Structures are given as structure tokens and as C-alpha cells.
Amino acid sequence: MERENSLRERLIDVGVDLVMTDGTASLGLREIARRAGVSHGAPRRYFPTHHALLSAIARRGFADLKVRFAAATDGTTSPRGQLQEIGRAHVGYALEHRGMFELMFRHDLLDSEKHPSDQSQLRDSTLPLFNLMVELIVRLRREQAAARRPGAPSSPEPLPAVTAAALWSNLHGLAQLWAWGSLQLALDAPPPGEDPGGGHLDRLVAAVLDAHLGPVNS
């Protein structure tokens, strides 16, 4: 059993290496098997479908992103500060590991209904990260409500999950447009990989949070 688990993990390791270096197009079953030093049919013993193997590879990405979120928010207690650090970590990971990031959010892998119910679902890996954002938005709104002057007018707000979804979508779009170089053209900013200290990206992430959560001093 230990040997079987070891081979299963080696197949995933190879897939992670491939997607990190060559992108999602490299993740064929035959190529993964070849790199792992096994027959081309061997992966089927551990992963009944190609999607099952891709999901296992993508799950490693979510585990890595979770660790990065925890490291980024360590020592930051305010919900707004944690959301700011999560936003920066999210965009940073997307730009650093474009192939893995693309794989992680493929709809056909996240759609639980397309996979057997007795298998671990990739969707279960992304929901905790999304729910973390929802929880932080709930805490932030409580803080904002407590700081509001008695009798001061307040506007209706979307549900926290809706705000989290909009914020997450905006961060995705920011990362993609920056990776393509489109935002740099619009802002006359340095090209991808040439933003010393990440100044432009940090300001864009802050602007995204302001747009969905309100300015820091509001």
C-alpha cells in the first residue's frame, strides 16, 4: 500500500512540475507517465479519468495558495488588512504560477456534478479560501457599523458572499490583464515582470478593495 501511495504521489509530483514549467497543455497522461517512469496505462490504476489526475494536481495548487494566504496574513489582525494581504498574495501567485493558476480554476474540474461522488472534489479545496474572504468581509462590516456615527445614513450592501465573489473576480481579472500586459499599456506602467517592488500592482489591489469594500477611512 505504501508503494502504491508513493507512485500515486509521484504521478502528481510530475504533473505539478509539468504545469509549473510547461503550462496546462503539457498535462497529457502519456507524458506524465513517461516522466514518472511508468507505463502509459499506469495512471489509470490510481486515477480513473484524466480529469481525476488533473484535479489532484490542481489540489496541490490550492494547498500552496492556502499556505501563502496564512503566511501573508500572519501578524495582521484587522479584517481589512488581511483582505489586502490575501489580495496581494492571490495576484502574486497567479502571476508567478500562471499554468497552475489556470488549471486550478478550470470549470470542468471544479464542477462536482461531473465527477463520481465517492472521489474527493476539487471544489472542496477552493470553497474554504472563498469562505475565508466572506468571513473577513462580515467582520469588516461589523467594524464599519460600530465606527459609524449614530444616526449616520447607511446604504444597502450586497450579501457578503456576493461582495466576496465580486472581489475575487476583480482580483482574477487584474492578474490576467497584468499577465497579458494590457493594464501596463493603459497605465503606462512597466511591462510584466518589470515592476520594481510591485508598486503598481499594490496600488491596483488597493483600488480593487476600495471599490468593493469602501475606502479605508470611510
Side-chain angles (χ1 to χ4, degrees):
M1 180 62 70
E2 183 177 348
R3 182 178 179 277
E4 294 291 298
N5 287 338
S6 176
L7 180 52
R8 182 182 187 279
E9 292 303 306
R10 186 159 89 246
L11 290 166
I12 298 173
D13 289 341
V14 168
V16 170
D17 289 342
L18 275 171
V19 76
M20 290 290 196
T21 56
D22 300 331
T24 57
S26 65
L27 293 175
L29 280 174
R30 285 180 176 272
E31 181 60 14
I32 291 174
R34 187 185 72 80
R35 297 281 186 106
V38 297
S39 68
H40 68 265
R44 297 289 189 186
R45 296 205 302 268
Y46 311 98
F47 304 98
T49 66
H50 190 199
H51 276 189
L53 176 54
L54 295 182
S55 294
I57 295 166
R59 198 171 290 112
R60 289 277 189 89
F62 278 114
D64 189 13
L65 190 58
K66 180 181 179 180
V67 169
R68 290 184 180 222
F69 279 8
T73 57
D74 184 36
T76 304
T77 58
S78 74
R80 178 60 181 253
Q82 290 187 17
L83 285 165
Q84 176 83 15
E85 294 305 319
I86 284 174
R88 293 175 61 187
H90 189 78
V91 172
Y93 187 87
L95 295 175
E96 185 179 347
H97 301 301
R98 291 180 63 183
M100 177 63 84
F101 195 77
E102 177 186 342
L103 183 69
M104 289 161 61
F105 292 98
R106 271 179 47 171
H107 178 267
D108 60 328
L109 301 184
L110 290 169
D111 187 352
S112 300
E113 294 184 359
K114 293 184 177 180
H115 304 284
S117 59
D118 61 342
Q119 294 181 24
S120 178
Q121 305 296 317
L122 181 61
R123 183 171 177 267
D124 295 336
S125 296
T126 183
L127 286 179
L129 302 183
F130 178 75
N131 289 336
L132 171 61
M133 296 180 70
V134 175
E135 292 167 6
L136 290 171
I137 289 169
V138 170
R139 285 178 50 199
L140 175 62
R141 287 183 176 175
R142 287 174 181 162
E143 288 187 359
Q144 292 171 334
R148 196 175 295 126
R149 296 191 311 274
S154 60
S155 302
E157 295 176 313
L159 292 172
V162 173
T163 298
L167 176 57
W168 207 356
S169 299
N170 207 160
L171 291 170
H172 271 63
L174 167 58
Q176 187 63 75
L177 290 171
W178 189 267
W180 285 338
S182 305
L183 282 177
Q184 292 87 329
L185 291 175
L187 299 172
D188 193 24
E194 298 182 20
D195 184 17
H200 280 83
L201 276 174
D202 284 349
R203 287 191 289 274
L204 286 168
V205 170
V208 168
L209 265 69
D210 286 350
H212 294 288
L213 306 175
V216 173
N217 297 320
S218 64

